[in-house]
Amino acid sequence: MFSVIGGSSAPCAVCRQVHRDLARVLGTSAPDDWMAVSPGERLEAELTPDVCILPHGGVTRHFIRGHIQLPLLVPDPEIFVWSVWVEVDEESMSSIARSWSDPNRAAIAPITGWLATELPYEQPTKGIEVVVHTRDPGQVPLLMLAEDSTHVLAAEQRNGVGLHRVAELAELLKR
């Protein structure tokens, strides 16, 4: 199901365009490093919509998909979501795997991970530390950037974004 942000029929105060039917969720189907390995190496790996196990160069790396939510600054409260991949250590991945079907998995202590998806920001996003909060089964983990982070993405997560910014991010992602 494709989810969109309704937008507004009024022209944008920034660009004078009308922003309607913007994607509510943008992201990738695999960690960036998945695309960086050869097709042969991918045969040794595992990729599902939520998890990626990637052996490469004698090391096995572990990734999970999560959501970074940015509040939208529009009359009706809505949320824009970056669907991204996060690298976690083996112990954290084991903990997540053990509790994945647990109806109380939202009660599991948050874990630390590092963004494994480069997003269209001037500053790199890959490698930013995040806190991974598992949620109830059927919901993708919620990712929170550090409150003291000076990255634009962290500021947008704290303060929200307007429809113009969502349109701008979607356009940057196409490049």
Side-chain angles (χ1 to χ4, degrees):
M1 179 178 179
F2 185 74
S3 181
V4 296
I5 299 165
S8 169
S9 58
C12 173
V14 177
C15 68
R16 306 305 300 158
Q17 300 287 326
V18 175
H19 300 302
R20 274 194 219 129
D21 301 329
L22 298 171
R24 181 184 302 272
V25 178
L26 290 175
T28 62
S29 58
D32 291 357
D33 291 330
W34 173 265
M35 298 310 295
V37 299
S38 72
E41 289 173 302
R42 284 188 218 133
L43 291 175
E44 302 297 319
E46 176 183 350
L47 177 65
T48 73
D50 297 307
V51 172
C52 178
I53 309 297
L54 185 62
H56 177 66
V59 176
T60 300
R61 298 173 66 197
H62 306 87
F63 304 89
I64 61 168
R65 186 171 60 92
H67 284 173
I68 299 172
Q69 296 181 343
L70 308 181
L72 280 173
L73 307 174
V74 294
D76 298 322
E78 294 193 55
I79 295 186
F80 170 75
V81 174
W82 280 120
S83 185
V84 297
W85 291 84
V86 175
E87 186 165 6
V88 296
D89 61 33
E90 185 175 6
E91 182 181 330
S92 296
M93 181 59 90
S94 294
S95 174
I96 290 167
R98 280 192 306 274
S99 64
W100 195 249
S101 298
D102 184 340
N104 296 317
R105 78 175 188 196
I108 295 167
I111 60 169
T112 300
W114 295 266
L115 280 183
T117 304
E118 196 61 62
L119 297 173
Y121 288 83
E122 279 191 31
Q123 298 170 288
T125 56
K126 203 169 170 185
I128 292 176
E129 187 174 321
V130 296
V131 177
V132 179
H133 297 268
T134 55
R135 299 192 280 182
D136 292 334
Q139 291 187 327
V140 175
L142 179 64
L143 308 176
M144 301 299 294
L145 281 69
E147 286 190 29
D148 62 350
S149 174
T150 59
H151 197 284
V152 171
L153 178 59
E156 289 177 345
Q157 187 174 47
R158 284 189 301 271
N159 305 322
V161 294
L163 288 177
H164 177 80
R165 180 65 173 151
V166 173
E168 180 180 66
L169 291 169
E171 191 59 36
L172 288 170
L173 200 58
K174 290 179 187 176
R175 296 181 188 169

